[in-house]
Amino acid sequence: MKRLFEFRRTALFYMLVCFAVVANAATKSAAVTEKTINLFTGEVICADDWSAGFQKFDAAAFANANKGDKIVVTVSAVSSSCSYPQVYLQKGNWTNFHPNHSAPAAEPGKVEFTITTDMLSEMKSSGLVVKGCGYTFTSVDLITYIESGDTKAISVSLPIW
């Protein structure tokens, strides 16, 4: 009988502890909103031999950018005479990122670059140049992700015997 009483008392203690922990738990649920900021709309033809075609952006354009955001270049046409058409990003001072940030522009569509910590630092200080060879682009967008967090309490009912 004494053993049964100790078992019940111990079980009750652990249930109460679990109840207190669970009842006081709160979770932060963050809703992520994607926001598109158009940096450029027009038409830039990037020559097959790299001799022409670029768009430069000042550092101020990236004041609200964060690591993980994206630069999206919309390719509207690809040159049939270029052996390797590509979109190429450089720092605003015309030097290369390390590692280089380039992507093939094999067909019309969107080419995305995810902003890294190193890129972000350079973009916020010197800006960005979008260039390349063998393609035409019609827009450059910055895709930012904004978190709006709500704290919600979790309430759980546990039977206490």
Side-chain angles (χ1 to χ4, degrees), residues 83-123:
S83 59
Y84 185 69
Q86 64 179 302
V87 179
Y88 196 83
L89 302 184
Q90 279 188 317
K91 301 174 192 176
N93 62 7
W94 295 92
T95 60
N96 293 331
F97 287 107
H98 295 288
N100 291 337
H101 292 287
S102 65
E107 59 187 36
K110 296 191 183 294
V111 178
E112 293 185 0
F113 297 91
T114 301
I115 298 173
T116 65
T117 303
D118 294 335
M119 280 178 73
L120 183 63
S121 174
E122 293 292 339
M123 290 164 54

Side-chain angles (χ1 to χ4, degrees), residues 5 18 30 32 35 37 49 64-65 72 78 81 86 90 94 110 113 116 126 128-129 135 141-142 144 146 159-160:
F5 175 75
C18 289
V32 177
K35 181 179 179 187
I37 301 167
D49 63 358
N64 295 321
V72 180
V78 178
S81 59
Q86 64 179 302
Q90 279 188 317
W94 295 92
K110 296 191 183 294
F113 297 91
T116 65
S126 68
L128 179 73
V129 177
Y135 76 100
D141 297 309
L142 171 64
T144 61
I146 302 163
I160 298 177

Side-chain angles (χ1 to χ4, degrees), residues 12-78:
L12 179 61
F13 171 77
Y14 283 113
M15 285 191 318
L16 288 174
V17 168
C18 289
F19 177 76
V21 169
V22 172
N24 291 323
T27 61
K28 181 161 180 123
S29 66
V32 177
T33 304
E34 184 178 287
K35 181 179 179 187
T36 301
I37 301 167
N38 180 258
L39 302 175
F40 169 78
T41 300
E43 183 176 81
V44 176
I45 300 169
C46 296
D48 290 359
D49 63 358
W50 297 81
S51 63
F54 69 89
Q55 185 64 42
K56 187 171 193 261
F57 302 96
D58 292 331
F62 306 102
N64 295 321
N66 295 299
K67 175 186 170 198
D69 290 351
K70 296 183 190 240
I71 299 293
V72 180
V73 179
T74 302
V75 174
S76 60
V78 178

